[in-house]
Amino acid sequence: MKLFVTGGAGFIGSALVRHIIDLTPASVVSIDKLTYCGNLDSVAQVSGSARYQFEHLDICNRAALEAAFEHYQPDAVFHLAAETHVDRSIDGPDDFLNTNVLGTARLLDAARAYWARLSSTRQREFRLVHVSTDEVYGDLADSDSLFVETSAYAPSSPYAATKASADHLVRAWGRTYGLPVLITNSSNNYGPCQFPEKLIPHAILNAIAGQPVPVYGDGQHIRDWLYVEDHVRALWKVLGAGRIGETYNVGGCNEHSNLDVVRSLMLLLEEYHPQGAPKEGYASLITFVSDRPGHDVRYAIDAQKIRRELDWAPTETFETGLRKTVRWYLDNPAWWQRVLDGSYRLERLGARGHAAQKRSP
């Protein structure tokens, strides 16, 4: 089996690429534009595999997508390429509209044209798995309920609105053209190789540098936390056994406030990195900052459908996953130092040549 993974140099995409190469016999073509959060260091451990190839392209480039489909002849597509940071979407939504909406539409149409040319057997076997977010459902601030697959869409941020738009496009291509699509909506991911603008790595790296650890508002915003390696296991299950046209919510069943998450991180740093702690302890670095506009209070996923139908459940508790995450950042300073100083971006300069080399026989 040969798979496309769009966004394969991003946080979740790179975890999926590593999972496929390390734990399955499939081959992967990683497709990535290499924006600021695309990092080839995140797939360095598998980049030497004969089953790994990289294509430096923008999913908004229809001609380049068509050429990639024609050259590689994939059996399935995992679509993860997206702009994802809510704050950035508030400051400038255009990149989110281009990649998340227009890019998804162009990928879908290139996939449809390719799929239409396949033999009937390969058409039946082909799948496109679109990876989305629980943020499309909006806010559960005034409810104790959980998001289910049929929850109404009510996105609050430009980011969430563009992901909701992408979900609707995927369903439309499935309904109108018969393209065999599936959708997953996951809760907040965390784990190795996450770009440091996100809450957990940002808190870890600021703390060990002795800098303030910012928390929005009063810190009582609640999220359901999912370890990234559990997420990619779910994606593999959806590809192999998910029902065409269905949506699967993927959650960690770990609801915690942002403040509790940061406090837990500070306690783990006291345990694992005591030599760097300020005199008053790492918790003294926690600093409350002005809340972001339109900040949703609570997200929470009901993951019973994927448990029941595909026999998936997270293997990490929040406590074990958080420990692994803190340990990874402490043990891998070369990865995040290259991100913080910008040197990881030099990978882009050689990316086109790297892609051409990988494509060569």
Side-chain angles (χ1 to χ4, degrees):
M1 179 182 286
K2 181 170 285 187
L3 308 171
F4 275 6
V5 176
T6 71
F11 169 45
I12 302 173
S14 65
L16 179 59
V17 168
R18 296 192 303 269
H19 176 90
I20 293 168
I21 296 298
D22 287 341
L23 299 174
T24 83
S27 299
V28 177
V29 179
S30 173
I31 292 172
D32 205 292
K33 183 182 177 182
L34 295 182
T35 61
Y36 74 94
C37 58
N39 188 347
L40 292 176
D41 288 354
S42 300
V43 292
Q45 72 187 56
V46 299
S47 61
S49 170
R51 293 183 291 112
Y52 168 84
Q53 293 173 292
F54 175 73
E55 278 290 327
H56 184 203
L57 67 84
D58 183 349
I59 60 169
C60 291
N61 186 334
R62 172 66 186 270
L65 281 173
E66 289 178 342
F69 273 106
E70 183 63 26
H71 179 81
Y72 290 109
Q73 297 284 306
D75 301 295
V77 177
F78 284 106
H79 177 38
L80 296 95
E83 297 284 345
T84 65
H85 193 48
V86 173
D87 288 351
R88 288 177 183 264
S89 81
I90 293 170
D91 293 339
D94 282 2
D95 286 343
F96 291 74
L97 290 164
N98 286 333
T99 298
N100 300 0
V101 183
L102 180 61
T104 296
R106 288 187 171 162
L107 174 70
L108 287 166
D109 221 33
R112 178 186 64 85
Y114 164 74
W115 173 75
R117 297 192 300 271
L118 295 176
S119 68
S120 57
T121 299
R122 292 196 68 202
Q123 281 188 348
R124 287 193 298 271
E125 294 173 347
F126 184 83
R127 300 288 186 273
L128 188 149
V129 180
H130 170 64
V131 181
S132 189
T133 172
D134 59 359
E135 295 193 41
V136 299
Y137 299 125
D139 197 347
L140 289 171
D142 301 320
S143 170
D144 293 328
S145 61
L146 303 173
F147 293 135
V148 296
E149 286 79 1
T150 55
S151 293
Y153 277 29
S156 301
S157 68
Y159 159 63
T162 59
K163 289 298 289 185
S165 299
D167 292 4
H168 291 318
L169 290 171
V170 171
R171 291 191 179 94
W173 258 251
R175 176 68 179 267
T176 302
Y177 302 111
L179 188 67
V181 298
L182 304 99
I183 296 175
T184 62
N185 295 88
S186 82
S187 57
N188 273 38
N189 280 226
Y190 69 99
C193 299
Q194 188 170 28
F195 197 78
E197 68 189 356
K198 301 292 188 174
L199 175 65
I200 287 177
H202 188 61
I204 294 170
L205 300 185
N206 273 31
I208 63 178
Q211 298 176 356
V213 176
V215 175
Y216 278 132
D218 61 4
Q220 296 308 306
H221 304 86
I222 294 172
R223 300 293 182 262
D224 174 17
W225 294 93
L226 174 66
Y227 192 61
V228 67
E229 292 178 11
D230 279 331
H231 185 189
V232 299
R233 285 194 308 103
L235 296 179
W236 189 251
K237 289 266 192 178
V238 169
L239 175 66
R243 290 183 288 135
I244 291 173
E246 290 294 316
T247 296
Y248 294 92
N249 282 350
V250 187
C253 304
N254 287 301
E255 289 187 59
H256 298 279
S257 72
N258 288 346
L259 181 57
D260 285 343
V261 170
V262 172
R263 284 172 172 165
S264 296
L265 289 170
M266 299 304 104
L267 288 173
L268 286 170
L269 287 174
E270 295 278 1
E271 178 182 341
Y272 287 142
H273 198 258
Q275 69 276 16
K279 183 184 300 184
E280 302 83 2
Y282 282 110
S284 67
L285 298 173
I286 297 174
T287 304
F288 295 97
V289 299
S290 298
D291 206 354
R292 74 158 57 118
H295 199 172
D296 290 330
V297 175
R298 175 175 172 258
Y299 306 140
I301 285 282
D302 183 340
Q304 290 303 308
K305 180 177 177 179
I306 193 170
R307 286 172 179 261
R308 182 178 64 250
E309 294 190 10
L310 305 184
D311 193 30
W312 173 89
T315 60
E316 299 292 342
T317 66
F318 187 62
E319 291 71 23
T320 61
L322 208 61
R323 281 185 174 274
K324 286 185 175 182
T325 301
V326 171
R327 190 73 265 167
W328 188 88
Y329 280 95
L330 293 177
D331 290 345
N332 291 274
W335 184 90
W336 53 261
Q337 283 171 351
R338 278 170 49 78
V339 174
L340 295 182
D341 67 22
S343 59
Y344 78 105
R345 290 181 151 187
L346 296 176
E347 295 287 351
R348 298 181 189 181
L349 299 178
R352 291 188 183 278
H354 175 65
Q357 181 182 20
K358 282 288 187 180
R359 183 185 285 193
S360 301

